[in-house]
Amino acid sequence: VNKKMGLEDEEHGSGGGGGEEAEMTKSLINQTSANKKVKAARFQVAQVDKDEEESDQHQEENGYSHHGQDTVQFTQYAKSLRYYLTREALPAESNYRNLLSFGRNSLKGQRPTVEQLRDEEGKPLKKDSLEEGMDGDSRKVKGKVVKFGWIEGVYMRCLLNIWGVMLFLRLTWVMGQCGIIQGLLVLTVCNMVTVITTVSMSAVCTNGQIKGGGVYFMISRALGPEFGGAIGLMFTLANSIAVAMYIIGFAESLLDMLQEYVPGWGGIVDADFAFRLNDVRIIGSATLVLILVLAIVGMDWVTRVQKALLVLLMFSQLDFLVGSFLPKSDADMAKGFTGWSVQTATDNVYPSYQEDQSFFSVFAVFFPAVTGIVAGANLSGDLKDPAVAIPKGTLLAIATTYVTYIFYGVVTSFTYVTTASGNAEEYAIWQNMSIPDEDKGVPRWDDCSVEAALMRNGTDCRYGTLNDQQSMAVISYTGYLIYGGCFAATISSAIASLVGAPRVLQALAKDKLYPKIEFFAPGFGANNDPVRGYVLVFFVSLGCIIIGELNMVSSLLSNFFVAAYALINFSVFHASITKSPGWRPSFKYYNPWVSLVGTLLCVGVMFMMDWMTALLTFLIIAILYLYIFYRKPEANWGSSAQAQVFVSALKGLQNLTETQDHVKNYRPKLLVLCGNPAQRPPLVDFANLITKKLSLLICAHVVTEPGSKNLAILKESTQNWLNDHKIKGFYTVVESGSWEEGAKSCMTLAGLGKLSPNTILMGFKSDWINDISGLQEYFNVLYTAFDHNLGIAILRVKGGLDFSEHVTAEETA
C-alpha cells in the first residue's frame, strides 16, 4: 500500500492519503483568497437520533462523524442550520420553518430566511434577530412602527401621482390637438403601457418576499445586480431632480394665482411678472424645507398630509364637473366655453393638429402623466403585505384614473372649442341676433383664420384648448380650486419623490453595489427611515431649484422612468423563457409575450418622447451596467440572468454534441491527472498554456482513502484556487481504492457528450526504479488511455512537479 501511495505522490499523481496529504488538504482549504469565503452549500434536513446527537467522540475536523455506514454532518461548520445535527438528504423547508411562522402567529415567531441563515459564518442566530424579520436587525428601537395597507400605501399614492399637473394643464390640450377619437386613443394607449407594466410588476413582487427599495429591488433580484444597480442609481437621481421640478411647478402656479386673484400683486422681490426666478427660488426653497421636515417627522404624518392633498385634488375635479353644467360670463364664453353642446362635440371629433404636432408628438407629451404607477411600489418596505398591496392598489389606481381621464376628456370635447379670441365684445355682438351678420363688423370670437387675425390688427387667438393651458380653470365653477388641484398634484408628487428616492438609495446602499455608497444604508427610528438619504436628496433638489430652469432635463427624467418600466417587463419575459426554478409568482394573470410587447412599447415611447435623450439613457445604463459587471460585487440573488447561463450552456452543449467533428475545428481537450492543482502548479500551468482558455481543461484528483475528505469543501476550495490563478478549467475528484482505478474512472466519466477530454496529460514518474508496483499502475493507465483513443502527453521537469512541500512551508510560515 505504501508503494502505491508513493505513486500518487509523484509528479503524475492525483492525491493519495497519509498524514502529509491530510495536511495538504488543510492547506488547500485555508488557501482560498481572503475575499472569498468557503461556503458549505448543503441544506440540512433530517435530524439524527438523540444518541448520535450526544455522541461527538467521532467528530473530525472536517465536520463529519462516522457511525457505521452513516455519515453525519455537524452543521456548525456550515451556514444554514447551525448547531443542529442532520443527515445528508435533499433540502426540505419544514426543517427550518418553525411552527409559529404560520397565520396569526407569524409576527411573533417569524421564520428566518435562507439569506439570514447564511448571513455570517460561525455566528449563531439569536431569537431577537429572527423576530426582527427580513432586515435581520436585532437593535431595539423606540417608536411606533408604521405599516400601510393597500389603500393608504399604494392606491392613494398612485392616485396622487397619476392625477398630476398634466390633468389640469395638458388634458384639454391633448383633446384639442387630437380630437375625441384620437385623443381617447392616446389616453388608452398610454394606460395600456402602464397596465402591462403593472401586471409584470405584480408578477415580480409576488415571486417571493419584497423588501424595501421598490423598483430597484424588483429589477435587481429579477435581472441581477448589473441592471438593478444601474436603474437604482438612475431612479434615485431622477426622483431627486423631479422633486425640484414639481416644487418649481408649484411655485409658478402659486405666483400665477396671486397675480390673478390679488389686486396690485407685485411679487416678492421681482416686480416684473415675466422675470420671477428669484420669487420661484424663495418659494421653492421654503417648500422644500417643509417637505424635508415632514419626511423626517415620519411616514405617518406624510400619509396624513397626502390624504388632505387627495381630498383637495378630488374637490378640484368636482369643481370642474359642476362648472361644466353652469352658465358662464361673456368673458368666459369668449375664451371658448360653450356649455354642453353636440355641435361642439361634432366639431371636436377630428384632430386639429398644429404645424409641429402629430399623434406621436402629443402621445410623447402626455405619457409622463401616467408614469406614477411606482409611487406605491417604492414604499414596499413600509407596506404590510407588498405582494397583495402593490398589484391591487396599482391596478385599481390605473383603472380609476383611466376612467376619470376619459370622462374629463369627453367633458372638454363637449364644452370647449379648440380656438377662441377671448374678446368678450366680439362674443356679445355675435350673440345679438338683432344685428345681421354682415353688419356686425367684427370677426366671430371662435374665428381664428388669417383674415380674422388681420381684422384684429394681427392679434392671434390666445384661447381655446389648443392655445390656453388654463382651459380647465375656465370650465370649472370657482377657478381657484383648479389652482388648488395643481398645488395638491405638485406637492404630493414632490413628497412622493422625496420619500421614495432615499428608500431606493438605502436599498442600493445595503447591497454595496457601488463603492462608499453604504454610508446611506443605515436607517433611523422604528421605521428604519433613511434620514441620510433625505438630506442628500434635499441638497440635490435645492441645487436644482436654485438653477431654476429644468426643462432641458425633463425629457431625460421621463426616459429614466420609462426605462425602469421596460426592464420590469423584460424581467418577467426573461424569467419565464429561461424556465427558472425560482420563478413561481402567485400572481397568475401575466403572459411573458405580453410583457415583451410592453418592453418594446416602453422603448418605443422613449424614442417618441425624444430620441436623443433615449440614446443618452441607453448609454448611461450601459456604462453603469458594465461598471458593476466588471466590479463583480458579492451579490448572489438567483436572478434570471443566472438561470440563463445554465440554459445557454445546456443548449450549447446539446448543439455541440449534434455537430460533426472536423479536423479544422480540432482542439486539445485535456484531462490532467494532477491531484491537488495547488501541489503541482507547473503541470496545471502547462495545461493552461495548451488550452489557451479556449478549450476544455479538467484537473482530476484521485482520493484513495474514501471518506477521508469533505469533498464538497475540497471541490469548492480547489475551484476557487483555479479562479484565483486565472486558470480557466474545472476540477473533479473521485474516491477509489487505488490510483489506477480512480484514473480509469476519470477517463471514462469526465466530460459531457463531445465536451469530453481527448488527451491525457500526466507527470513523468521519476521514481519508477524504486516503485515497480506503482510503475505497473502507471503503464496500465497509459494502456487504458490508448484503448479509449485518447492522446497521451507526459511532462517532465527538472526537479519534479510536486510542490507540496513548498506549499506546506508557505502555509506554516
Side-chain angles (χ1 to χ4, degrees):
V1 175
N2 291 334
K3 291 286 186 180
K4 293 181 180 180
M5 300 306 298
L7 173 65
E8 295 169 352
D9 288 336
E10 291 299 327
E11 288 81 355
H12 72 86
S14 120
E20 181 180 354
E21 183 66 22
E23 292 296 327
M24 289 308 307
T25 303
K26 287 184 185 178
S27 301
L28 179 60
I29 294 175
N30 294 330
Q31 194 174 342
T32 308
S33 59
N35 61 344
K36 296 182 179 179
K37 296 183 180 179
V38 178
K39 299 180 180 179
R42 302 176 189 267
F43 293 105
Q44 288 68 37
V45 185
Q47 293 187 356
V48 300
D49 297 333
K50 183 177 181 181
D51 294 337
E52 294 177 341
E53 187 175 347
E54 293 176 353
S55 173
D56 37 321
Q57 65 267 25
H58 298 287
Q59 183 177 348
E60 296 180 359
E61 292 180 356
N62 59 7
Y64 281 84
S65 61
H66 304 278
H67 303 272
Q69 299 299 322
D70 294 333
T71 301
V72 178
Q73 182 178 356
F74 286 80
T75 57
Q76 58 184 325
Y77 296 97
K79 282 190 174 183
S80 48
L81 270 185
R82 299 179 176 90
Y83 306 110
Y84 290 90
L85 294 176
T86 58
R87 292 187 186 280
E88 189 74 14
L90 294 174
E93 185 185 26
S94 58
N95 291 286
Y96 62 89
R97 179 194 281 275
N98 70 65
L99 296 178
L100 293 178
S101 65
F102 296 94
R104 299 178 179 177
N105 295 323
S106 59
L107 295 178
K108 298 179 181 179
Q110 198 172 30
R111 74 179 178 91
T113 63
V114 176
E115 288 81 1
Q116 280 182 299
L117 294 172
R118 295 171 65 88
D119 188 29
E120 294 183 6
E121 181 71 29
K123 288 188 178 182
L125 291 174
K126 297 181 180 180
K127 181 179 179 181
D128 290 341
S129 65
L130 295 181
E131 291 178 351
E132 199 61 34
M134 293 295 293
D135 292 333
D137 190 357
S138 59
R139 293 179 292 107
K140 296 297 183 181
V141 293
K142 296 182 180 180
K144 179 183 178 182
V145 177
V146 179
K147 296 290 183 182
F148 302 107
W150 69 271
I151 296 179
E152 292 181 338
V154 180
Y155 181 68
M156 182 185 72
R157 301 177 196 277
C158 288
L159 285 180
L160 284 168
N161 276 264
I162 300 175
W163 278 338
V165 179
M166 291 291 187
L167 171 64
F168 302 100
L169 301 184
R170 286 298 186 181
L171 179 59
T172 56
W173 178 82
V174 169
M175 299 307 296
Q177 294 283 350
C178 297
I180 296 177
I181 297 176
Q182 294 189 20
L184 298 183
L185 182 61
V186 167
L187 301 179
T188 301
V189 175
C190 287
N191 281 272
M192 185 175 66
V193 175
T194 57
V195 167
I196 294 175
T197 303
T198 303
V199 170
S200 299
M201 183 171 65
S202 301
V204 173
C205 71
T206 57
N207 187 51
Q209 190 168 2
I210 298 296
K211 295 182 182 179
V215 173
Y216 159 72
F217 186 86
M218 297 178 194
I219 294 177
S220 62
R221 269 52 178 182
L223 289 177
E226 295 85 3
F227 279 119
I231 287 298
L233 200 59
M234 293 167 58
F235 212 78
T236 301
L237 178 61
N239 276 283
S240 301
I241 300 176
V243 173
M245 292 184 61
Y246 292 131
I247 292 179
I248 289 174
F250 163 74
E252 291 179 346
S253 297
L254 179 60
L255 290 173
D256 287 341
M257 189 187 74
L258 294 174
Q259 182 74 22
E260 182 173 351
Y261 290 100
V262 178
W265 169 258
I268 301 176
V269 294
D270 294 326
D272 185 3
F273 183 77
F275 182 80
R276 51 184 182 180
L277 182 58
N278 291 325
D279 286 357
V280 170
R281 289 169 176 168
I282 294 173
I283 297 174
S285 301
T287 305
L288 180 62
V289 171
L290 292 177
I291 294 176
L292 175 66
V293 172
L294 179 65
I296 294 177
V297 167
M299 288 300 299
D300 195 16
W301 278 97
V302 169
T303 304
R304 295 177 186 178
V305 171
Q306 288 189 321
K307 286 180 181 178
L309 294 176
L310 181 59
V311 171
L312 179 59
L313 196 57
M314 295 177 70
F315 270 109
S316 65
Q317 297 177 44
L318 182 62
D319 181 53
F320 166 72
L321 292 177
V322 171
S324 67
F325 292 96
L326 298 178
K328 302 290 183 182
S329 64
D330 287 353
D332 289 339
M333 301 295 286
K335 292 179 181 178
F337 180 78
T338 64
W340 284 85
S341 171
V342 176
Q343 181 61 43
T344 303
T346 303
D347 296 338
N348 289 331
V349 168
Y350 299 105
S352 302
Y353 294 118
Q354 294 174 317
E355 293 181 0
D356 56 343
Q357 299 297 336
S358 65
F359 177 86
F360 294 104
S361 64
V362 174
F363 177 88
V365 169
F366 185 75
F367 185 80
V370 298
T371 56
I373 58 174
V374 296
N378 284 340
L379 301 180
S380 55
D382 297 296
L383 301 176
K384 294 177 182 177
D385 189 352
V388 173
I390 293 175
K392 182 188 294 187
T394 308
L395 287 172
L396 285 176
I398 291 176
T400 304
T401 54
Y402 174 67
V403 171
T404 56
Y405 271 120
I406 292 291
F407 183 64
Y408 298 157
V410 171
V411 171
T412 301
S413 298
F414 271 82
T415 61
Y416 220 83
V417 298
T418 56
T419 56
S421 65
N423 191 320
E425 183 180 352
E426 293 177 355
Y427 176 79
I429 293 175
W430 278 93
Q431 290 300 311
N432 189 348
M433 296 295 103
S434 62
I435 305 176
D437 292 349
E438 60 273 10
D439 296 335
K440 290 183 177 177
V442 294
R444 282 179 59 91
W445 75 97
D446 56 355
D447 183 3
C448 295
S449 61
V450 176
E451 294 79 6
L454 292 176
M455 295 178 65
R456 299 188 184 101
N457 299 322
T459 303
D460 294 327
C461 294
R462 295 182 299 142
Y463 295 94
T465 53
L466 290 178
N467 304 312
D468 185 16
Q469 294 186 1
Q470 298 294 335
S471 297
M472 189 171 281
V474 176
I475 299 174
S476 66
Y477 173 62
T478 62
Y480 55 81
L481 273 179
I482 295 298
Y483 282 105
C486 290
F487 300 159
T490 52
I491 294 298
S492 62
S493 298
I495 292 174
S497 297
L498 190 138
V499 169
R503 280 164 168 75
V504 175
L505 178 63
Q506 184 183 38
L508 186 65
K510 287 182 178 179
D511 293 334
K512 300 178 181 178
L513 299 184
Y514 296 99
K516 308 300 181 181
I517 200 174
E518 59 269 16
F519 173 78
F520 298 99
F524 300 88
N527 293 297
N528 198 32
D529 292 323
V531 177
R532 294 177 180 178
Y534 288 152
V535 175
L536 175 66
V537 173
F538 170 81
F539 281 110
V540 172
S541 302
L542 182 62
C544 294
I545 290 174
I546 293 175
I547 294 173
E549 182 60 42
L550 299 178
N551 291 335
M552 63 186 71
V553 298
S554 59
S555 179
L556 183 63
L557 301 186
S558 298
N559 269 278
F560 282 2
F561 293 134
V562 180
Y565 301 163
L567 287 178
I568 292 175
N569 285 303
F570 181 73
S571 65
V572 173
F573 171 75
H574 195 258
S576 299
I577 63 170
T578 56
K579 306 296 183 184
S580 173
W583 177 248
R584 298 187 302 274
S586 60
F587 186 87
K588 301 300 182 183
Y589 306 103
Y590 74 94
N591 183 281
W593 299 105
V594 174
S595 296
L596 178 61
V597 171
T599 303
L600 299 177
L601 285 175
C602 289
V603 174
V605 168
M606 292 173 64
F607 281 93
M608 280 191 291
M609 288 192 291
D610 190 341
W611 67 271
M612 293 187 64
T613 55
L615 293 177
L616 181 60
T617 301
F618 283 119
L619 178 62
I620 295 173
I621 292 177
I623 293 174
L624 295 175
Y625 178 96
L626 293 174
Y627 175 80
I628 298 179
F629 179 79
Y630 287 107
R631 187 172 183 261
K632 296 188 182 301
E634 294 184 3
N636 182 15
W637 299 323
S639 64
S640 61
Q642 293 173 299
Q644 180 64 47
V645 172
F646 176 83
V647 172
S648 300
L650 182 61
K651 289 182 178 179
L653 183 57
Q654 291 170 342
N655 293 335
L656 176 64
T657 304
E658 297 170 359
T659 303
Q660 295 183 357
D661 293 328
H662 194 279
V663 65
K664 290 193 295 185
N665 295 322
Y666 172 82
R667 296 175 186 268
K669 294 174 284 189
L670 300 184
L671 176 65
V672 186
L673 300 178
C674 61
N676 266 336
Q679 298 176 14
R680 295 172 179 83
L683 189 61
V684 178
D685 290 338
F686 181 70
N688 191 43
L689 290 174
I690 295 175
T691 58
K692 296 288 187 181
K693 301 181 181 181
L694 297 174
S695 187
L696 180 65
L697 170 59
I698 300 178
C699 298
H701 184 181
V702 179
V703 177
T704 56
E705 291 185 357
S708 62
K709 293 177 174 60
N710 186 333
L711 297 186
I713 295 180
L714 183 61
K715 285 181 179 180
E716 186 171 358
S717 59
T718 307
Q719 191 65 51
N720 288 338
W721 185 91
L722 292 173
N723 296 336
D724 291 343
H725 288 77
K726 310 299 182 184
I727 296 173
K728 297 293 184 181
F730 304 94
Y731 171 76
T732 183
V733 57
V734 297
E735 292 183 332
S736 180
S738 68
W739 179 82
E740 177 185 344
E741 295 301 324
K744 290 180 180 179
S745 297
C746 291
M747 286 187 281
T748 306
L749 299 176
L752 290 173
K754 289 187 178 179
L755 194 65
S756 301
N758 56 20
T759 303
I760 303 297
L761 176 61
M762 305 169 60
F764 178 76
K765 182 167 177 56
S766 59
D767 63 342
W768 59 273
I769 297 179
N770 301 322
D771 185 12
I772 303 301
S773 60
L775 182 63
Q776 183 62 45
E777 287 194 349
Y778 188 82
F779 274 96
N780 288 341
V781 171
L782 295 179
Y783 292 146
T784 303
F786 286 126
D787 291 340
H788 287 83
N789 294 321
L790 298 175
I792 297 289
I794 299 176
L795 178 64
R796 184 175 184 180
V797 177
K798 183 178 181 181
L801 298 172
D802 192 349
F803 279 43
S804 57
E805 295 182 359
H806 300 283
V807 175
T808 304
E810 291 178 2
E811 292 295 329
T812 57

